[in-house]
Amino acid sequence: MHANLDDLLQSGGIRLGRAQRDRLDWLTDQYGAPTLDAGSGRSGVVILKEPPSGAAAELFYRSLNPGCAVVIPASENPGFDFLKSKLTEFGTVGPCGADGPHEMWWGGIGWSKFLAAADTSTARPRIVSCYPRGGDATAAFELRHSLERFDLACHIEPIDTQFGDRLLCFEKAEFMLRMWNKYREPLLFIEAGAVLREAPLLPSFLGGDIALHKWNRWEMSARTLYLGRTGAAEMLLRTWQHLAASYPAIWEGYLLDQAWSLTSSQVPLDMVWLPRSYHALKGDLGAIRATILHDQQTTTLELGPDPAFAGLVRTARRAGRTGARDAFMVMTSKAEAGKGIAVILRDISASDAGAVAATVEAVTGAYAADCGGYGRLELSLCAWQDDVGAARDAAALAHYRILEIAPGQRIANDFFTHCAADDAVMTARHLFL
C-alpha cells in the first residue's frame, strides 16, 4: 500500500516532508487505500489537491462516511476553508521546509472510529496537574480520585504562586517544563478540578507532538494539553514558557496560540485538535459522554478576555491555519543571522490553488538552493490587501528586507542572490547621496 502511495503522490505532483508522510502512512494503515481527489465510492483516504466549489464541497461532504479520512496536502490555501468547516478537524502537520513546503490538514466525519480504537490502546500518558499551594486542595483531590480506576500514572502537586488562590500562565508552563524534565512518558496536563469519566487515551493513540482542544473551533485552551515525547513538543513547550515569562499579564490561551504559530512555522509540528469530549464543561449537552469534564459552567463567551484577538485570527484558526498575520514558514541558513528577508505572497484567495502551491515551492526551493546571504526567510501568505499591510508592518519591525510577489510569478534558483544584489545597489546609492 505504501508503494502505491508513492506512485499516487508522484502522479499528483504532491510533495510531503517526512513528518507529513509519516502521518499519511499512519492514516492509510487506519483507513485503507488512498485515492486522489474527489471520486465515487468514499472509502480509505481521500487526498484533495484543489479546493472544491461550494456546491461540489457540499456533494463531497454528503458522500463521506466515518470509514474514510480526508487529507489536504496544501491546506494553507484559504480556498479549502469552506470544506474544512463542514468536516471534523483531526489535526495538522506544519510545513517541512523545502522538502515539504506546505501545511497538511487531515479530518473526516466524526471521532467515533478513533475513539473506539483508542479504548484498546496500550500507549498511556502520565497525567500531570498542579494547583496553588495556598488554595483549596479539594479540586485536586477530585481529579486524583477519578484517576484511580484507570490505572494511569499521575503527578499532582501544590505549587507556590504569586497569588494565593490563582495559577498564572507562566507558573503552569514552568510546572509543565519541570514535569517534562522529570518524566520520560508523554504528558497529559489536566486542570485541577476536572474529573475523568473515561481513560484519556486518544492523544497517545494518535501519537502527535501536541494535542489540545480549540474552544469554539478557534481559541486554544490549556486546560487539557498533551505533549508527546518529541523535539517539536519540547520546542513548543519552551516557547510557551518563554512567552509566558516575558508577558505574565497576557492570558494563557493567546500565549499558547502564539507558541503554536511560532513553532509550526519552524518545524513540522504534528498537531492533534482534540474533540469537545476532552474539554467538556458542566452543562454541556454531551457532558454525560465526556472523557474529561472540567469544573466550569458552559458559556457562549470566549475563554479569553481580548475581543480584538478574536477578529485577528478566528477564521484562520477555525481552518487550522496560522493566518496572514503570522509567518506561514520560517527557513534559516548558515549565512549572517541578522540579515533576514520577508517574502509576501499576495492575492492567494483570488488565484489558482496550483499556482499558489507552485509559487510556495519555488520560493522555498530557491532559498534552499541559494539563500543569497540572507540568514532567515519568513514567508507570509496573504489573501487580502489588509493582510499584506499587516505582514509588511511585522517585517518592518524586524528590519527585514521586504519583497512582495504574486502567485505564478517566475522564481529562479538565484532569486535571492538577485535580491541581495539589488539591496547592495540601493545601499550604495543611499551612501552616495
Side-chain angles (χ1 to χ4, degrees):
M1 188 182 298
H2 296 306
N4 293 337
L5 181 55
D6 287 334
D7 294 337
L8 187 71
L9 295 176
Q10 186 174 2
S11 68
I14 297 171
R15 294 169 55 187
L16 299 178
R18 184 70 263 165
Q20 295 169 338
R21 179 55 193 269
D22 288 346
R23 175 55 71 184
L24 184 55
D25 286 343
W26 185 88
L27 282 170
T28 57
D29 289 340
Q30 297 294 318
Y31 284 92
T35 56
L36 191 60
D37 289 324
S40 60
R42 298 287 172 262
S43 63
V45 179
V46 183
I47 303 173
L48 292 181
K49 282 186 60 183
E50 296 288 334
S53 65
E58 181 66 30
L59 290 173
F60 176 70
Y61 168 73
R62 291 182 182 181
S63 71
L64 297 173
N65 62 70
C68 61
V70 177
V71 171
I72 305 176
S75 65
E76 68 273 8
N77 194 312
F80 290 104
D81 287 3
F82 176 68
L83 175 61
K84 291 180 191 175
S85 71
K86 305 184 77 62
L87 298 169
T88 299
E89 181 182 49
F90 297 150
T92 54
V93 185
C96 311
D99 293 333
H102 301 291
E103 187 175 67
M104 191 181 86
W105 183 97
W106 52 293
I109 303 294
W111 284 97
S112 57
K113 179 180 176 66
F114 288 147
L115 289 172
D119 288 341
T120 62
S121 174
T122 58
R124 290 174 172 256
R126 176 177 289 271
I127 309 300
V128 296
S129 187
C130 61
Y131 59 97
R133 193 181 301 276
D136 185 359
T138 304
F141 173 79
E142 291 177 351
L143 174 60
R144 190 188 299 274
H145 180 69
S146 71
L147 277 166
E148 290 177 353
R149 67 188 181 99
F150 299 116
D151 191 28
L152 291 169
C154 71
H155 182 115
I156 304 173
E157 70 171 51
I159 63 172
D160 295 322
T161 56
Q162 285 191 0
F163 299 96
D165 59 348
R166 186 156 60 99
L167 191 66
L168 297 179
C169 179
F170 79 90
E171 294 165 339
K172 178 188 291 188
E174 288 176 354
F175 167 78
M176 287 293 290
L177 190 56
R178 184 158 51 85
M179 295 299 99
W180 178 272
N181 293 328
K182 183 180 179 68
Y183 297 109
R184 300 272 65 85
E185 313 102 304
L187 301 178
L188 179 61
F189 177 89
I190 300 176
E191 195 87 5
V195 294
L196 299 187
R197 297 284 182 81
E198 302 288 344
L201 303 180
L202 179 65
S204 52
F205 167 72
L206 295 175
D209 298 317
I210 306 289
L212 56 82
H213 175 74
K214 286 189 293 185
W215 179 259
N216 291 331
R217 293 192 69 172
W218 72 267
E219 186 174 349
M220 298 183 192
S221 171
R223 288 184 173 275
T224 303
L225 178 61
Y226 171 84
L227 298 173
R229 295 305 308 192
T230 66
E234 182 178 9
M235 183 176 178
L236 183 140
L237 175 58
R238 292 187 182 278
T239 301
W240 186 41
Q241 187 272 335
H242 175 74
L243 290 173
S246 301
Y247 306 98
I250 297 180
W251 50 282
E252 65 181 26
Y254 179 84
L255 295 173
L256 186 56
D257 180 284
Q258 291 303 288
W260 170 76
S261 175
L262 287 169
T263 306
S264 61
S265 70
Q266 298 178 65
V267 298
L269 189 69
D270 189 350
M271 192 81 190
V272 171
W273 306 110
L274 291 172
R276 183 60 178 266
S277 60
Y278 274 68
H279 197 287
L281 305 182
K282 290 184 177 179
D284 280 4
L285 291 176
I288 194 171
R289 297 185 301 275
T291 299
I292 300 173
L293 182 63
H294 288 281
D295 187 22
Q296 297 286 321
Q297 291 296 322
T298 298
T299 174
T300 57
L301 300 177
E302 289 83 9
L303 297 180
D306 186 354
F309 174 64
L312 286 173
V313 304
R314 184 177 297 190
T315 300
R317 294 303 184 268
R318 281 180 170 168
R321 295 188 287 106
T322 52
R325 287 166 172 78
D326 302 302
F328 164 65
M329 188 194 311
V330 175
M331 294 177 65
T332 58
S333 72
K334 295 181 180 180
E336 179 186 349
K339 188 178 180 183
I341 183 168
V343 176
I344 299 170
L345 182 57
R346 65 175 186 268
D347 301 331
I348 61 171
S349 286
S351 302
D352 176 74
V356 174
T359 306
V360 169
E361 293 172 11
V363 170
T364 54
Y367 184 79
D370 184 354
C371 69
Y374 295 103
R376 185 179 176 93
L377 162 68
E378 294 197 7
L379 177 61
S380 296
L381 309 183
C382 297
W384 314 109
Q385 194 56 41
D386 60 338
D387 294 334
V388 173
R392 278 187 165 274
D393 290 344
L397 286 173
H399 304 291
Y400 280 13
R401 164 77 152 93
I402 303 172
L403 197 64
E404 189 176 324
I405 63 174
Q409 182 172 330
R410 183 178 179 275
I411 307 293
N413 277 347
D414 58 356
F415 178 78
F416 290 97
T417 296
H418 282 292
C419 292
D422 291 342
D423 288 347
V425 170
M426 292 176 63
T427 300
R429 286 177 178 173
H430 177 75
L431 291 174
F432 177 77
L433 294 174

